[in-house]
Amino acid sequence: MPVVGGRTYSNGDTAIGVGLIVALIATFLPWYSLSYSCSGSSLCGGLNTSASVSALNDIWGWLFFLGVLAGLAFFVIRNFVPTVTLPTMPQPDAILYAALGIFLAVMALLWLLTHSSSASGAGYSVGPSFGLFIGLIAGIVVAVGGFLKRSDARPAMQAYSSPGTGSPFGGGPPAPPAV
């Protein structure tokens, strides 16, 4: 199990953290690209060009990006900021991370389906690029990390006495007399 900052992390936490960071980076990589080369012909004047777009070119990419940001915020608060108390979630963290990973993979697949036209020939190519596939794999890694996290030990519930319990005047019951 990896150790970061003096704390040991499970394989599920590691997969989730690495998957989310890679997904964030993949958002800004080329998800669709075009290249054209006409270097040997006198008709085009030696025109060579290429262009690409990132995930943020479409609604599915924006949803992917927002999902990554939400997942990173949740992961950082849960693992690195112990002083912040989040409200009770409707599902365990493992299920939330698995659902987030599935959401990211589905958004990447929808992006691919809406931009699936590809072609290539002598001197040109157009189609999905490597950033899209890295984002898709990162979403799957987050989902697998959520699945692996299911087997992690859950923290023990802390028993505590809140003010107002035990007597009508607040505080806990009085201590037993010393013998």
Side-chain angles (χ1 to χ4, degrees), residues 74 77-78 84-91 93 96:
F74 186 66
I77 289 171
R78 279 284 199 229
V84 175
T85 305
L86 292 174
T88 304
M89 297 295 167
Q91 295 292 327
D93 288 357
L96 294 175

Side-chain angles (χ1 to χ4, degrees), residues 39-92:
S39 58
S41 174
S42 61
L43 296 174
C44 63
L47 178 66
N48 294 317
T49 186
S50 65
S52 63
V53 294
S54 69
L56 303 177
N57 190 48
D58 195 355
I59 185 68
W60 309 119
W62 275 101
L63 291 174
F64 181 91
F65 179 64
L66 293 174
V68 169
L69 289 181
L72 279 171
F74 186 66
F75 185 78
V76 167
I77 289 171
R78 279 284 199 229
N79 292 302
F80 298 108
V81 188
T83 58
V84 175
T85 305
L86 292 174
T88 304
M89 297 295 167
Q91 295 292 327

Side-chain angles (χ1 to χ4, degrees), residues 93-146:
D93 288 357
I95 301 297
L96 294 175
Y97 286 124
L100 175 66
I102 292 168
F103 174 79
L104 295 176
V106 167
M107 291 303 106
L109 285 173
L110 287 171
W111 205 101
L112 176 64
L113 289 174
T114 58
H115 298 86
S116 63
S117 62
S118 63
S120 64
Y124 73 95
S125 69
V126 60
S129 193
F130 66 96
L132 171 63
F133 300 109
I134 291 173
L136 176 62
I137 292 169
I140 293 169
V141 167
V142 172
V144 168

Side-chain angles (χ1 to χ4, degrees), residues 9-38:
Y9 291 93
S10 69
N11 292 335
D13 283 332
T14 304
I16 292 166
V18 169
L20 287 170
I21 291 170
V22 169
L24 180 66
I25 294 168
T27 304
F28 301 104
L29 293 175
W31 280 35
Y32 197 81
S33 61
L34 157 84
S35 65
Y36 178 76
S37 174
C38 185

